[in-house]
Amino acid sequence: MAFAPLIVMAVAAVASAAATYASAKQQSETNKYNAKVYENEALTQKYAAKYEEKKHRERVRRFIGIQRAKYAASGIDISAGGSAQMVISDTAGQGEMDALAIRYGGDVAAIGARNKATLQKFLGKSTMAAGYLETGATLLSSASNMYGMQLKTG
């Protein structure tokens, strides 16, 4: 009969340790999943920016085409240089700067998402490490309590 409390304590200790481990494992898996989500977000940001950059360049080319057509319709020869050619060059230059800004924005967003993924991976690993330590501590503490109880009951 003296062993019954010790058996109950042992079972409770194992159950508590198992619950601690399962909780840490679940949190670690959630962190891994979140990391994959952020990695996918990084790719999406990169591809979206690349697409927007391409669309912007196409809009600028069309706009320059419209500028050229309007100058030609007005009888202005842009091949001779002058202010009309400078306006078209300025439009092209500003359009390129805007396209590069779009690319940069995508790069920054992708880096941010990759950083979040890295953090989630780190959290997943540290959660498992903490889970192992807490599981071990629970088992050791319970074993110590059981040993103390056994000494008292003699």
Side-chain angles (χ1 to χ4, degrees):
M1 236 353 154
F3 289 110
L6 292 176
I7 292 171
V8 170
M9 283 181 73
V11 169
V14 169
S16 177
T20 299
Y21 174 80
S23 176
K25 179 87 171 143
Q26 179 60 42
Q27 184 60 47
S28 177
E29 292 300 318
T30 299
N31 291 120
K32 286 179 187 176
Y33 174 81
N34 289 341
K36 287 180 183 179
V37 168
Y38 286 125
E39 287 169 353
N40 288 338
E41 180 183 330
L43 287 174
T44 300
Q45 292 288 347
K46 192 87 167 157
Y47 290 136
K50 189 174 185 175
Y51 175 76
E52 289 301 320
E53 178 184 355
K54 182 180 175 183
K55 275 181 37 179
H56 180 74
R57 284 196 172 107
E58 290 170 4
R59 284 191 300 268
V60 170
R61 277 193 293 273
R62 281 194 303 273
F63 184 73
I64 290 172
I66 291 169
Q67 282 180 321
R68 288 178 191 270
K70 287 187 177 189
Y71 283 132
S74 299
I76 300 172
D77 181 12
I78 59 171
S79 64
S83 62
Q85 183 61 40
M86 288 174 40
V87 168
I88 290 173
S89 292
D90 185 56
T91 300
Q94 188 58 51
E96 182 61 18
M97 293 294 289
D98 292 344
L100 293 174
I102 292 168
R103 180 190 304 172
Y104 177 75
D107 289 346
V108 168
I111 289 168
R114 274 193 230 97
N115 288 342
K116 289 177 185 177
T118 300
L119 175 63
Q120 288 298 310
K121 289 176 186 175
F122 171 77
L123 290 174
K125 289 177 183 176
S126 65
T127 298
M128 278 309 300
Y132 289 136
L133 291 173
E134 196 172 330
T135 298
T138 298
L139 291 173
L140 288 173
S141 174
S142 296
S144 174
N145 290 341
M146 288 169 43
Y147 181 72
M149 183 180 219
Q150 184 180 14
L151 287 177
K152 288 180 185 176
T153 60

